[in-house]
Amino acid sequence: FFSTALQPQRMLSALSCCALSFSIQRSIDGVLSTRLPSRLPQPVAAASIAFEITSVRGDDASLDRAARFFVEGFWAASTTTDTGGALTDRDRDQLAALQRDDMIARYGETVGARRLRSSLFVAEDPSSGAIAGCVGVEMALVDPSRGRVLSRAQSEKLFSDELNSMGARERGTYRKMSAAELTEALFPEYKCLALLANLAVAPAARGSGLGRRLCARCDEAADDWELPAIMLQVELANAPARKLYEAAGYGAVFADEGASALRVRPGGAELQLESVPSTLLLMGKGV
């Protein structure tokens, strides 16, 4: 199972995920200036392993490691479509650098508190320390009726722009509101919900129940943040991922038949990411 990342902005401005796909609008020029190890230790075949799921610190080194796993668990082991050949080490390095930047933007440590919170979880094989799965969850604004999803960063900017346009006295009336209350007051067309993203499970750990456990950790985070619902996006073609989400209690909310998804075309001198037509389902529970 996997979560689509590095996808052109579309229905979100937006995401797929074994679900959510967030747009990374950065050039890939020069990404090899930071050389990351191309391969990671693999978890053992795992029907009986009690994987340990922990929250990842938002430092660069921890997110580097999660990003490199995501390349192996998502891009190199797609449940949606064949990449068209094996990824080269160069492909892996470039994808890992892009994925690392995206994870730093979404889950990285910041100076000062974020209005909208986020967490990244990893599951590790206790015997080897190898990552067997990962998933992210973040607070963001969603309009379920139109299938519109704003990333956490887009949502933060919307809040900041609106609050900065106010005078000090007016702004003070909103200061103690929660994110959900602020959304209802300023942007009633949206709801502040949790978004599940970046779900990936190593091939050796699939079928062990790990995917559902990772989804459950996102549910717990949403409860901790006092959010009423959790959403995700998944490609219609990704039948294994849809089956997982349906088993975890998600139902279809909106289908965008005019969306697009990224595919990796391996083996070139530079990383080749191709946008292809795709239908994205917005799924949720508690909506």
Side-chain angles (χ1 to χ4, degrees):
F1 303 101
F2 63 92
S3 153
T4 310
L6 310 179
Q7 185 162 339
Q9 198 162 325
R10 173 81 189 162
M11 176 162 144
L12 276 181
S13 279
L15 9 168
S16 144
C17 173
C18 232
L20 291 176
S21 145
F22 287 82
S23 146
I24 292 185
Q25 300 182 341
R26 298 177 177 85
S27 167
I28 63 173
D29 295 340
V31 294
L32 291 182
S33 60
T34 302
R35 295 293 298 183
L36 302 174
S38 298
R39 307 298 174 95
L40 293 173
Q42 297 299 304
V44 298
S48 61
I49 290 179
F51 293 108
E52 297 176 351
I53 301 177
T54 57
S55 178
V56 174
R57 292 182 57 196
D59 60 275
D60 290 2
S62 297
L63 295 176
D64 273 349
R65 184 167 175 257
R68 287 185 281 114
F69 166 75
F70 193 79
V71 170
E72 300 303 321
F74 174 67
W75 291 106
S78 169
T79 58
T80 300
T81 185
D82 187 1
T83 60
L87 296 177
T88 65
D89 286 348
R90 185 181 181 88
D91 293 331
R92 284 178 162 85
D93 284 343
Q94 292 183 328
L95 282 169
L98 289 174
Q99 196 67 56
R100 176 203 61 211
D101 288 349
D102 184 49
M103 287 182 170
I104 288 172
R106 287 157 53 195
Y107 312 116
E109 295 174 342
T110 60
V111 177
R114 284 176 169 167
R115 182 178 290 107
L116 301 176
R117 299 170 63 184
S118 63
S119 293
L120 180 67
F121 300 102
V122 297
E124 294 182 322
D125 179 339
S127 63
S128 67
I131 297 179
C134 70
V135 69
V137 61
E138 54 192 330
M139 298 170 67
L141 304 189
V142 181
D143 179 355
S145 66
R146 295 191 300 158
R148 180 164 173 76
V149 182
L150 301 185
S151 70
R152 184 205 57 77
Q154 291 170 318
S155 302
E156 286 276 14
K157 185 176 187 305
L158 199 63
F159 281 131
S160 296
D161 289 349
E162 182 68 16
L163 292 170
N164 289 338
S165 70
M166 300 176 184
R169 179 175 295 181
E170 183 183 7
R171 189 163 53 245
T173 63
Y174 298 103
R175 185 170 300 163
K176 294 184 179 181
M177 287 187 178
S178 68
E181 292 169 336
L182 198 59
T183 302
E184 185 175 358
L186 298 179
F187 306 107
E189 67 273 26
Y190 288 102
K191 295 182 181 298
C192 184
L193 304 177
L195 298 178
L196 183 154
N198 293 124
L199 177 60
V201 175
R206 293 174 187 174
S208 68
L210 179 57
R212 290 185 68 173
R213 287 183 61 204
L214 288 165
C215 289
R217 286 302 296 268
C218 294
D219 292 347
E220 293 169 9
D223 287 342
D224 289 344
W225 299 338
E226 299 182 343
L227 298 178
I230 185 167
M231 310 289 290
L232 58 84
Q233 278 186 299
V234 61
E235 287 190 62
L236 180 64
N238 193 344
R242 288 193 290 107
K243 182 178 179 180
L244 167 65
Y245 295 132
E246 288 164 359
Y250 287 86
V253 175
F254 188 90
D256 183 359
E257 297 179 351
S260 59
L262 285 189
R263 300 289 184 259
V264 180
R265 301 304 177 206
E270 296 294 335
L271 181 65
Q272 298 179 43
L273 297 174
E274 178 184 356
S275 178
V276 299
S278 179
T279 297
L280 291 183
L281 294 181
L282 179 65
M283 302 183 73
K285 57 181 174 178
V287 181

